[in-house]
Amino acid sequence: MIINVLSPQGYCGGVKHAIEIVNKVINDPNTKKPIYLLGQIIHNEHVINEIKSKGVIVLEGKSKLELLDSINFGTIIFSAHGVAPIIYEKAKEKGLNIVDATCSNVLIVHKKIKEFLDLNYDIIYIGSPKHPESEGVLGISNKIHFISNIDDINNLNINNKNIYITNQTTLSMFDINEYFDLLKSKYPTSIIEDKICRATTVRQEAVAYQEKVDLCIVVGDKMSSNSKKLAKVSNEIAKIKTIFCEDLKSLDKNELIGINSVSITSGASTPEYITKEIIEYLKTL
Ligand code: SF4
């Protein structure tokens, strides 16, 4: 079988940074215990389980505010996706030791939005519904209009000439321009800034312009936005049959029957050893 390993593989800078922060906090004897993670530090179950095995408590399942209400002391780590200002304030009020692992690319988006809000702009933010990065941004102000599909654009009704338009860092670079074009024709004086991060675009480009193969395998967590977008780009732009798996165990081996060539890519939060394990398996076929 021909195996094309698409590059890059492994963690992006933001994920590496977040994991380093968590390990530093765990290994520091002066860290106030217990250590809590507010949501998943990155979207990968393998990484989360490893962190849990080191004694960190991962708070999940409710809104971030409700989760904060359930704790009264110790250290709270904010994930790479960022949090809304109210979450910082609440954690501070409660006297928790705050450790912020937000990716610098996400922090830039927060900063730009706040700057434009101070200038009395309305904000249009394009993102994935219920994704923690979007939730963190939307918590900045109620003057942020959330867009996740074309219908949302049609339903927009903003009476302000000053509009700043931006987006979640892990969207598809092949979809975003349609949104920008429609928004620009509806609000011609708006300022648009594409904030899809470099780690996302290089992976999407590698997938979109890859050599033709029978099957493309995307390795990533089902919650990972950038991994899901890689599968979308492979299907829709490269027009290659694509399957998604989280690890070797979840790889549907039936999909490999009759396949002579595969490509393999992985999300920015997928540990490299998981992808390598799948590559080694493919080599045996
Ligand atoms: S995918 Fe981009 S925005 Fe997300 S953590 Fe990685 S570098 Fe940061």
Side-chain angles (χ1 to χ4, degrees):
M1 182 184 283
I2 297 166
I3 306 164
N4 287 347
V5 179
L6 303 179
S7 174
Q9 297 280 344
Y11 296 145
C12 63
V15 167
K16 264 189 214 153
H17 172 72
I19 293 174
E20 273 166 22
I21 287 181
V22 173
N23 284 325
K24 205 170 151 200
V25 168
I26 293 169
N27 295 328
D28 182 348
N30 296 320
T31 297
K32 283 194 201 166
K33 302 275 172 40
I35 305 169
Y36 298 99
L37 258 180
L38 192 58
Q40 300 199 345
I41 185 80
I42 57 163
H43 281 147
N44 190 280
E45 207 57 45
H46 292 265
V47 175
I48 300 301
N49 287 339
E50 201 184 317
I51 290 170
K52 279 183 186 168
S53 74
K54 294 177 182 171
V56 175
I57 301 161
V58 181
L59 302 171
E60 287 179 283
K62 292 183 190 162
S63 78
K64 288 200 162 80
L65 271 180
E66 285 173 302
L67 292 169
L68 271 182
D69 266 338
S70 67
I71 60 171
N72 291 312
F73 50 88
T75 295
I76 185 85
I77 306 175
F78 298 146
S79 80
H81 310 101
V83 296
I86 193 169
I87 302 295
Y88 275 96
E89 285 150 26
K90 178 115 186 180
K92 218 165 137 191
E93 249 171 50
K94 297 195 91 163
L96 300 170
N97 174 34
I98 299 170
V99 177
D100 187 2
T102 306
C103 174
S104 58
N105 292 313
V106 177
L107 288 175
I108 289 169
V109 176
H110 283 228
K111 188 170 171 272
K112 291 300 295 245
I113 288 176
K114 284 175 190 162
E115 281 172 10
F116 278 99
L117 284 168
D118 285 345
L119 296 171
N120 283 324
Y121 276 62
D122 271 56
I123 311 293
I124 298 175
Y125 179 78
I126 310 163
S128 306
K130 296 196 177 145
H131 190 276
E133 186 179 329
S134 298
E135 287 178 351
V137 167
L138 295 176
I140 295 173
S141 164
N142 57 12
K143 277 178 83 182
I144 302 176
H145 308 269
F146 182 60
I147 297 293
S148 67
N149 57 53
I150 302 297
D151 280 348
D152 290 341
I153 298 178
N154 299 330
N155 294 332
L156 272 179
N157 187 13
I158 305 173
N159 290 317
N160 187 351
K161 269 193 183 161
N162 298 325
I163 297 175
Y164 173 64
I165 301 170
T166 192
N167 55 280
Q168 192 178 322
T169 56
T170 50
L171 296 184
S172 165
M173 60 186 280
F174 297 97
D175 291 344
I176 197 83
N177 285 332
E178 186 188 357
Y179 284 78
F180 287 155
D181 290 347
L182 287 168
L183 286 164
K184 192 74 189 173
S185 63
K186 189 160 180 169
Y187 301 109
T189 55
S190 59
I191 296 171
I192 296 179
E193 276 191 329
D194 180 353
K195 291 294 184 196
I196 297 178
C197 74
R198 185 77 192 128
T200 296
T201 56
V202 289
R203 280 170 176 76
Q204 290 182 2
E205 279 167 354
V207 168
Y209 308 121
Q210 64 178 298
E211 280 175 33
K212 207 77 190 158
V213 284
D214 296 335
L215 184 75
C216 176
I217 301 171
V218 177
V219 189
D221 194 277
K222 53 184 178 303
M223 288 295 291
S224 159
S225 168
N226 77 85
S227 302
K228 285 192 279 189
K229 293 295 182 292
L230 288 176
K232 190 172 189 282
V233 169
S234 178
N235 268 317
E236 295 176 6
I237 308 295
K239 303 210 181 303
I240 293 172
K241 185 183 172 195
T242 305
I243 57 170
F244 195 89
C245 71
E246 291 180 34
D247 49 24
L248 181 57
K249 215 166 81 188
S250 72
L251 174 68
D252 185 351
K253 317 291 185 302
N254 290 325
E255 295 281 6
L256 299 169
I257 297 169
I259 295 294
N260 296 314
S261 57
V262 294
S263 60
I264 185 159
T265 182
S266 62
S269 51
T270 306
E272 223 170 339
Y273 71 84
I274 289 180
T275 314
K276 277 189 178 151
E277 213 175 18
I278 297 173
I279 296 168
E280 288 311 311
Y281 170 75
L282 293 172
K283 284 182 185 168
T284 66
L285 298 181

